[in-house]
């Protein structure tokens, strides 16, 4: 376990400490446009905290920050925490109705957003009418910040006090605000970052997974800051070309990706060799990494990929492979400091080798979901988290992922609710009913597949399939669109009319 003072503010060990310890001139952040040293970061964080207080936010208030991966993300996130304000950084790929829901649910007092997201944020706020809080773009906020004082006393808190939230997707499509405490980032940085990855001051971290994702937040921000290392940021959508160019330019020592991207990178490496020699470790999470991809990556690059599983609620990886102890095709073993149990439907432990629901005990676990006492009671029980994943433990103690216990899908590492995609399809005039399930693509990765009942069965065909896919891409976060559409005369249902998605899985 991790020792913490009884009163502190996490900005001090993550940022301010480095200035006092002689790392002030060292690069905390590097992007293609700028380098931010630890001294500059500490100063900008103070200015941001002061600017947030000057905007009228008070300690305990929420700040919804829809911000791309750039230094301002760090200023807003840590500036809020230093001032006692609670930052809430949601997925930046969402649509206006999602943001409207989060603004209302969080009761935030201010929305700050990168101008790229204006097309979604402005209609979201408009939808809320008089209930909309104040809002501004990051550029406007930065201009105000420049005039704010560079001195800010940290607001002290207990390790278990609320610190920040992350929204986690729910099976009904409504996201849940997981409330994290001050200690949680310390725990993940120390238990996974330091004790599993051996991350240190000389490491340069590059996460293709974005900062809004709990996985990216650790990889690309808290782990490097915890040890006085350097984070590489790129706000572009990660592709094989952008990620390989970043690795060649910035020479990171640790790279963090998701299986969908590793698959695309492997395909690209087959046609063009790239210089990945700076890497000492690669990490994967978000969805299970097929063993074959582990082997092909090792052949192509000489480095291993440490696959692991984490959750927004646990904040980072709680079961993972290690540099000196790994088994391809498995999620690895519990990270030291976390406990894992596989339970049957009665809540009893299953025999080794048998499948059941994975529960974990995590010192970094969110304490509750905002405004959702029933969901909190189902998921967070006596310090244990119900992961909703089905797992089996092999004879050597490696955990093997067997799928979701409910119908939720992970696409490119991000949770995706079948209900949300079904509702979108049903919004198309040709569709009567729809069910969405996960199907593996040619890389063995899960993507959404839709099974559709049409109002006019004779409309089925390639033109309608294209139109339905385009409709979903326009309406939903683009990664959620169904990659396959099958037309059926009716859907399997329970006696009470619920769609039996498990009967439709291939
Ligand atoms: O999906 C995962 O495996 C994950 C890993 C680390 C942090 C957060 C998540 C959701």
């Amino acid at each position: 376990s991790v020792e913490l003072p009884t009163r502190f503010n996490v900005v001090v060990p993550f940022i301010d400490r480095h200035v006092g310890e002689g790392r002030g001139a060292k690069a905390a952040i590097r992007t293609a446009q700028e380098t931010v040293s630890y001294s500059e970061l500490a100063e900008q964080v103070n200015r941001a905290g002061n600017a947030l207080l000057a905007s009228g936010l008070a300690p305990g208030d929420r700040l919804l920050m829809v911000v791309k991966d750039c230094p301002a993300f760090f200023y807003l996130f840590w500036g809020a925490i230093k001032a006692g304000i609670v930052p809430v950084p949601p997925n930046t790929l969402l649509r206006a109705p999602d943001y409207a829901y989060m603004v209302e649910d969080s009761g935030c007092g201010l929305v700050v957003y990168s101008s790229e997201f204006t097309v979604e944020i402005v209609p979201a706020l408009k939808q809320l009418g008089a209930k909309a809080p104040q809002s501004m773009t990051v550029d406007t906020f930065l201009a105000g910040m420049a005039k704010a004082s560079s001195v800010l006393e940290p607001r002290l808190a207990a390790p278990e006090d609320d610190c920040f939230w992350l929204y986690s997707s729910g099976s009904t499509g409504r996201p849940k605000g997981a409330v994290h405490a001050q200690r949680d980032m310390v725990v993940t940085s120390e238990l996974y970052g330091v004790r599993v990855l051996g991350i240190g001051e000389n490491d340069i971290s590059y996460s293709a997974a974005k900062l809004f994702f709990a996985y990216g937040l650790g990889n690309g921000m808290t782990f490097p800051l915890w040890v006085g290392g350097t984070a590489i940021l790129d706000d572009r959508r990660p592709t094989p070309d952008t990620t390989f160019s970043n690795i060649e330019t910035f020479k990171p020592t640790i790279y963090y990706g998701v299986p969908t991207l590793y698959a695309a990178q492997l395909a690209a490496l087959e046609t063009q060799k790239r210089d990945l020699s700076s890497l000492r470790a690669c990490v994967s999470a978000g969805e299970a990494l097929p063993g074959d991809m582990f082997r092909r990556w090792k052949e192509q690059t000489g480095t291993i990929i440490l696959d692991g599983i984490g959750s927004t609620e646990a904040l980072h990886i709680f079961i993972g492979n290690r540099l000196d102890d790994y088994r391809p095709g498995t999620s690895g073993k519990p990270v030291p400091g976390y406990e894992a149990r596989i339970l049957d439907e009665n809540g009893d432990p299953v025999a080794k080798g048998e499948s059941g629901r994975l529960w974990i005990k995590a010192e970094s676990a969110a304490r509750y979901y905002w405004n959702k006492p029933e969901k909190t009671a189902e998921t967070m029980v006596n310090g244990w988290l119900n992961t909703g994943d089905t797992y089996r433990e092999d004879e050597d103690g490696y955990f093997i992922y067997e799928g979701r216990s409910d119908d939720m899908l992970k696409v490119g590492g991000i949770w995706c609710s079948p209900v949300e995609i079904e509702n979108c399809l049903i919004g198309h005039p040709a569709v009567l009913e729809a069910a969405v399930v996960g199907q593996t693509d040619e890389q063995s990765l899960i993507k959404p597949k839709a099974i559709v009942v049409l109002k006019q069965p004779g409309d089925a065909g390639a033109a309608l399939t294209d139109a339905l896919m385009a409709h979903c891409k326009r309406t939903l976060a683009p990664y959620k669109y169904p990659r396959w559409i099958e037309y059926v005369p009716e859907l399997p249902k329970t006696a009470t009319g619920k769609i039996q998605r498990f009967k439709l899985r291939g």
Side-chain angles (χ1 to χ4, degrees):
S1 88
V2 177
E3 292 292 311
L4 286 171
T6 48
R7 306 283 300 164
F8 79 133
N9 183 299
V10 274
V11 174
V12 176
F14 278 95
I15 298 174
D16 296 351
R17 163 175 82 90
H18 300 300
V19 180
E21 290 176 4
R23 283 182 284 275
K26 191 171 175 206
I29 308 170
R30 289 190 66 199
T31 74
Q33 294 76 33
E34 60 185 316
T35 296
V36 180
S37 69
Y38 272 96
S39 298
E40 287 162 339
L41 177 59
E43 188 183 315
Q44 297 289 48
V45 163
N46 288 350
R47 289 187 195 280
N50 284 320
L52 289 169
L53 292 170
S55 78
L57 289 184
D61 287 350
R62 270 81 57 208
L63 158 73
L64 195 79
M65 42 177 289
V66 191
V67 179
K68 64 186 182 184
D69 280 22
C70 65
F73 185 107
F74 284 48
Y75 308 158
L76 278 154
F77 185 87
W78 296 104
I81 292 174
K82 194 161 180 182
I85 293 160
V86 179
V88 184
N91 182 342
T92 59
L93 301 170
L94 299 179
R95 299 296 195 203
D98 305 311
Y99 293 123
Y101 171 77
M102 286 175 186
V103 168
E104 212 173 2
D105 179 65
S106 66
C108 61
L110 173 65
V111 183
V112 180
Y113 56 97
S114 301
S115 53
E116 288 82 348
F117 310 130
T118 306
V119 292
E120 304 298 338
I121 299 297
V122 168
L125 295 170
K126 202 162 167 204
Q127 187 179 321
L128 293 171
K131 285 191 282 174
Q134 55 171 330
S135 61
M136 66 182 87
T137 63
V138 166
D139 292 338
T140 307
F141 182 78
L142 289 175
M145 227 180 88
K147 295 184 216 126
S149 162
S150 62
V151 181
L152 176 63
E153 268 308 300
R155 191 173 166 94
L156 299 185
E160 56 286 351
D161 283 349
D162 294 358
C163 183
F164 66 101
W165 305 3
L166 293 175
Y167 270 97
S168 150
S169 310
S171 52
T172 57
R174 279 304 188 202
K176 307 178 289 282
V179 180
H180 277 286
Q182 294 269 333
R183 59 148 196 246
D184 299 352
M185 294 184 284
V186 176
V187 171
T188 54
S189 303
E190 189 58 30
L191 296 186
Y192 187 74
V194 174
R195 300 194 200 164
V196 171
L197 298 180
I199 191 167
E201 161 171 18
N202 294 327
D203 275 307
I204 301 175
S205 298
Y206 171 41
S207 176
K210 299 289 179 202
L211 294 169
F212 66 72
F213 182 11
Y215 175 51
L217 192 85
N219 310 334
M221 187 170 76
T222 63
F223 296 177
L225 295 184
W226 180 242
V227 293
T230 303
I232 307 303
L233 297 183
D234 182 350
D235 60 22
R236 293 172 299 174
R237 190 176 70 83
T239 64
D241 199 46
T242 63
T243 49
F244 288 149
S245 301
N246 283 333
I247 294 172
E248 287 169 342
T249 307
F250 297 107
K251 312 241 174 290
T253 55
I254 311 183
Y255 167 66
Y256 306 81
V258 295
T260 305
L261 183 57
Y262 279 115
Q265 289 175 311
L266 276 168
L269 284 175
E270 274 155 25
T271 56
Q272 194 191 359
K273 291 272 162 268
R274 303 295 297 243
D275 178 10
L276 309 183
S277 58
S278 64
L279 298 176
R280 70 169 181 84
C282 296
V283 182
S284 179
E287 55 186 323
L289 183 84
D292 180 56
M293 275 170 58
F294 174 98
R295 283 181 274 274
R296 285 165 55 215
W297 185 264
K298 191 165 178 218
E299 253 166 49
Q300 291 280 354
T301 70
T303 23
I304 59 171
I305 305 178
L306 301 178
D307 188 21
I309 171 181
S311 70
T312 302
E313 289 77 359
L315 192 57
H316 212 272
I317 292 174
F318 47 77
I319 294 180
N321 285 285
R322 303 185 211 157
L323 289 162
D324 58 355
D325 184 7
Y326 57 86
R327 179 163 290 177
T330 77
S331 302
K333 295 181 180 168
V335 168
Y338 291 84
E339 284 177 66
R341 282 188 188 158
I342 301 177
L343 304 181
D344 66 17
E345 57 281 4
N346 302 318
D348 296 319
V350 299
K352 215 164 191 172
E354 282 180 17
S355 307
R357 170 83 55 119
L358 178 70
W359 288 74
I360 57 136
K361 190 159 195 175
E363 253 187 281
S364 56
R367 291 190 307 128
Y368 61 100
Y369 292 123
W370 180 256
N371 268 342
K372 300 221 168 7
E374 292 91 18
K375 290 279 173 204
T376 302
E378 271 168 33
T379 312
M380 301 161 190
V381 184
N382 301 328
W384 286 82
L385 277 178
N386 177 356
T387 65
D389 288 312
T390 302
Y391 261 85
R392 150 172 85 78
E393 185 183 345
D394 75 9
E395 62 290 357
D396 300 318
Y398 296 95
F399 281 65
I400 301 164
Y401 177 70
E402 301 220 308
R404 280 298 288 170
S405 312
D406 62 18
D407 293 318
M408 292 288 286
L409 318 172
K410 257 195 176 174
V411 180
I414 309 182
W415 283 121
C416 203
S417 155
V419 179
E420 187 188 3
I421 307 171
E422 289 160 8
N423 288 342
C424 172
L425 284 163
I426 294 164
H428 188 280
V431 175
L432 180 65
E433 283 185 313
V436 169
V437 294
Q439 178 163 301
T440 47
D441 65 9
E442 63 288 353
Q443 309 281 356
S444 309
L445 299 172
I446 300 283
K447 300 283 179 279
K449 170 183 173 181
I451 298 100
V452 168
V453 182
L454 292 175
K455 289 181 186 156
Q456 305 289 338
D459 290 347
L464 182 62
T465 299
D466 289 347
L468 292 178
M469 288 181 180
H471 168 73
C472 290
K473 282 189 194 168
R474 253 193 328 271
T475 318
L476 302 170
Y479 61 87
K480 297 179 181 172
Y481 84 92
R483 311 305 195 267
W484 307 268
I485 298 184
E486 184 184 325
Y487 301 98
V488 294
E490 61 181 331
L491 295 173
K493 297 210 179 120
T494 62
T496 56
K498 283 198 183 145
I499 299 174
Q500 294 171 303
R501 294 188 192 81
F502 68 92
K503 292 198 173 161
L504 296 165
R505 289 184 200 126

